[in-house]
Amino acid sequence: MSPEIPAPGESTLITPPRELYPALDLTREAVDFALFQAIPLDLMLRLHFVPVREEDGKLLLAMADPLDVPAQDLLRLQLKRPLRFCAAPAAQIQEVLKKSESGQKVLDEAGEALKVQVLREEDLDDEVLDLERLTDKDEAPIIRLVDTTLFNALQRRASDIHLESTSGGFQIKYRIDGSLYPAAEPIDRRFASPIISRIKVMSELDISEKRKPQDGRFKLKVRGRAIDFRVSIMPTIHGEDAVIRILDKENLAEEFKSLSLEILGFSQHELTRLRRFAKEPYGMFLVTGPTGSGKTTTLYAILSEIRNPEDKIITIEDPVEYQLEGVTQIPVNEKKGLTFALGLRSILRHDPDKILVGEIRDPETAAIAIQSALTGHLVFTTVHANNVFDVLGRFEHMGVPVHNFVSALNCVLAQRLVKVLCTKCKKPHTPTAQELKDNGMDAAWADKGTFFEKGGCVDCHGTGFRGRQAIIEFLGMNDEVRELMTAQAGLREIKAAARRSGMQSLRESALEKVRLGLTTFAEINKVTFREGS
């Protein structure tokens, strides 16, 4: 049947039938980050659309109203390329637009006010210091820049903000999932000093002191949520640098309500062993690894599983990062004289069943913790060491007799974090023979799993990764391992005994994540050594 020919004088515009525009669920689609960055954001906001992907030489656009023909014509004119259109819910399009840092800035300028309040440590709830009152109106652009930087860092799940003075300008970076990413283009160096001064004012630091390091903290209330920020200022050859650590306690409190060892990414084999040692009546459960490797999170996951009304659990930490219901938590305050050692001595007089010591830093704390483990308490603690075997030398260095340490020790858990591929945009990958060889694997290993490589979408801000999981090396003590450690046997001999007891190395744990398609060789090579290298 041929289409009707319009009468003279009638419009030739024919509305396309709705079935030509398939519906798209943007919660399941990976929106290409490169395409998103290439199209002017104000155009996407005005016409309410997002680019999805390239398809058969055409750019697929998701629109809230795909029947808006004038909007389609305008897009063809503006983008100058073949287009295809599909329908998507307006709420989903809005959510995608909000995930962009630049999108948030435009939305803020369009009328969504970014309201931030500074709270002093000793302030009551009703005593609030408004940012606009801290400095003159002439400095408002600096205030807005700092506020927007903090706000966007929260939106992008950053753990730290780095502000660096360089010869080419002032650079702001976010640490997301353990890696640094530029927040924006470098800023003119003449704005560096006002920005750092603004952060000093918020942290109650000395703005006139520019030659010495300074440490401070401040609290913000962003859209009704209180967030802690820890600040470190350091002088460099190009000016002052700052690092801001973000502690979103309220968000963490929500996450920790359902915290368990399963969600941290441990294998079932390791979970069974971990839970067995976490329920021992006394002794020391030791977690080791570098700063930022998730040691405290693992210990809190264990505490959240084993806590019960019959046991008294007391922790001493610096700082108390998470609040756990039913657990007595004590913050270290060295300025007031409350150290780990002094606090631990006092804790023992409060009749605890289980104790968590945030970190063993000095011989006195080490001696008291081991004595507590030997006298009927279950002690959870952390120490900085590279692997489960290096902890022996670490405690020896602190003057702890080997026999006492080995007698008190129940198990050692060494941990690292690896970035997890974004589930929306990861792409299938077949490892080459050279790639397998470079990572110490043979060709047969490639048939044992499903492999992926990173993509890049709006959900992961183009990084290809979203979140991190733990890889672990877990040594459960038995008579054979204890005897070898006490006799100070060779490392190879102790490792062989540990493997016989069921220990899996960090590298083996990492390779399992690659085999399951959760991460890549490049990521695990950042945190583990190839076996035998």
Side-chain angles (χ1 to χ4, degrees), residues 418-421 452 465 510 513-514 517-521 523-524:
V418 293
K419 289 191 285 188
V420 177
L421 288 163
F452 291 89
F465 299 94
K513 300 287 186 191
V514 176
L518 296 173
T519 190
T520 65
F521 283 122
E523 288 307 311
I524 68 169

Side-chain angles (χ1 to χ4, degrees), residues 142 296 403 448 480:
I142 297 297
T296 304
H403 177 74
K448 298 178 181 179
E480 183 185 10

Side-chain angles (χ1 to χ4, degrees), residues 26 118 190 237 254 334 379 402 427 475:
L26 294 181
V118 177
R190 63 194 174 96
I237 58 172
E254 288 297 317
E334 295 191 359
V379 178
V402 173
K427 300 179 288 188
L475 172 62

Side-chain angles (χ1 to χ4, degrees), residues 154 158-161 216-220 225-231 244-253 296 318-322:
L154 292 168
S159 60
D160 305 84
I161 304 170
R217 63 177 68 181
F218 61 91
K219 289 184 180 180
L220 297 182
R225 197 165 84 236
I227 299 163
D228 289 349
F229 296 81
R230 292 177 178 257
V231 178
I244 305 173
R245 179 82 186 274
I246 302 171
L247 297 174
D248 191 349
K249 292 184 179 180
E250 292 187 21
N251 188 42
L252 289 169
T296 304
D318 181 24
V320 175
E321 294 188 17
Y322 315 125

Side-chain angles (χ1 to χ4, degrees), residues 429-431 436 441-451 515:
H429 172 64
T430 303
L436 292 169
M441 311 308 300
D442 56 31
W445 193 81
D447 299 326
K448 298 178 181 179
T450 305
F451 305 94
R515 189 182 67 80

Side-chain angles (χ1 to χ4, degrees), residues 71-368:
Q72 290 186 13
D73 291 340
L74 179 59
L75 284 170
R76 289 190 179 94
L77 185 65
Q78 291 278 343
L79 301 180
K80 296 182 175 63
R81 58 186 304 177
L83 302 177
R84 280 192 62 218
F85 300 94
C86 63
Q92 291 184 8
I93 291 176
Q94 186 73 6
E95 188 61 31
V96 171
L97 292 172
K98 281 186 176 181
K99 286 175 181 175
S100 163
E101 175 196 356
S102 54
Q104 188 59 57
K105 289 180 181 176
V106 173
L107 290 173
D108 287 342
E109 292 171 1
E112 186 175 330
L114 178 63
K115 294 180 180 179
V116 182
Q117 297 170 325
V118 177
L119 309 178
R120 295 184 188 276
E121 193 71 32
E122 65 274 9
D123 280 346
L124 298 174
D125 289 342
D126 57 345
E127 294 178 355
V128 176
L129 181 63
D130 191 275
L131 288 181
E132 297 296 336
R133 299 178 185 176
L134 286 176
T135 53
D136 296 333
K137 291 182 179 179
D138 292 341
E139 296 182 26
I142 297 297
I143 295 174
R144 285 198 297 271
L145 174 63
V146 173
D147 289 355
T148 306
T149 298
L150 296 173
F151 184 84
N152 287 322
L154 292 168
Q155 290 293 97
R156 294 183 63 176
R157 304 177 299 107
S159 60
D160 305 84
I161 304 170
H162 291 241
L163 300 101
E164 302 173 352
S165 299
T166 68
S167 58
F170 190 68
Q171 181 74 66
I172 300 173
K173 299 176 182 177
Y174 297 148
R175 186 176 291 281
I176 304 170
D177 295 333
S179 297
L180 286 174
Y181 299 97
E185 293 296 318
I187 300 168
D188 195 306
R189 282 183 61 185
R190 63 194 174 96
F191 295 116
S193 183
I195 291 170
I196 296 294
S197 295
R198 171 64 187 152
I199 293 168
K200 286 181 180 178
V201 169
M202 295 170 73
S203 311
E204 298 182 351
L205 299 176
D206 185 357
I207 62 172
S208 64
E209 178 57 71
K210 298 181 183 293
R211 298 183 181 181
K212 293 181 182 178
Q214 296 188 70
D215 293 319
R217 63 177 68 181
F218 61 91
K219 289 184 180 180
L220 297 182
K221 183 166 283 187
V222 181
R223 293 183 178 172
R225 197 165 84 236
I227 299 163
D228 289 349
F229 296 81
R230 292 177 178 257
V231 178
S232 179
I233 309 289
M234 180 72 71
T236 71
I237 58 172
H238 296 295
E240 289 182 292
D241 283 12
V243 175
I244 305 173
R245 179 82 186 274
I246 302 171
L247 297 174
D248 191 349
K249 292 184 179 180
E250 292 187 21
N251 188 42
L252 289 169
E254 288 297 317
E255 291 178 6
F256 271 62
K257 284 181 181 178
S258 59
L259 181 67
S260 65
L261 290 168
E262 274 96 348
I263 66 175
L264 300 182
F266 298 145
S267 68
Q268 193 57 50
H269 168 70
E270 299 293 16
L271 278 175
T272 303
R273 300 177 69 223
L274 275 169
R275 286 181 170 134
R276 179 169 72 84
F277 282 97
K279 293 176 181 176
E280 295 288 346
Y282 57 84
M284 179 179 284
F285 189 113
L286 185 62
V287 182
T288 185
T291 302
S293 59
K295 301 187 295 295
T296 304
T297 303
T298 297
L299 286 178
Y300 265 87
I302 292 170
L303 286 184
S304 69
E305 288 196 1
I306 66 170
R307 60 181 169 162
N308 64 75
E310 297 177 2
D311 290 335
K312 181 160 187 175
I313 303 175
I314 305 180
T315 78
I316 180 163
E317 308 162 71
D318 181 24
V320 175
E321 294 188 17
Y322 315 125
Q323 295 179 19
L324 202 57
E325 193 70 30
V327 176
T328 303
Q329 297 173 274
I330 302 168
V332 165
N333 191 337
E334 295 191 359
K335 289 183 180 178
K336 302 290 186 181
L338 178 55
T339 61
F340 274 113
L342 181 62
L344 190 49
R345 287 185 189 279
S346 299
I347 285 172
L348 293 174
R349 294 193 286 272
H350 279 250
D351 188 29
D353 297 288
K354 298 175 175 63
I355 302 167
L356 186 150
V357 182
E359 184 184 345
I360 292 179
R361 300 173 178 171
D362 56 84
E364 188 179 4
T365 306
I368 301 170

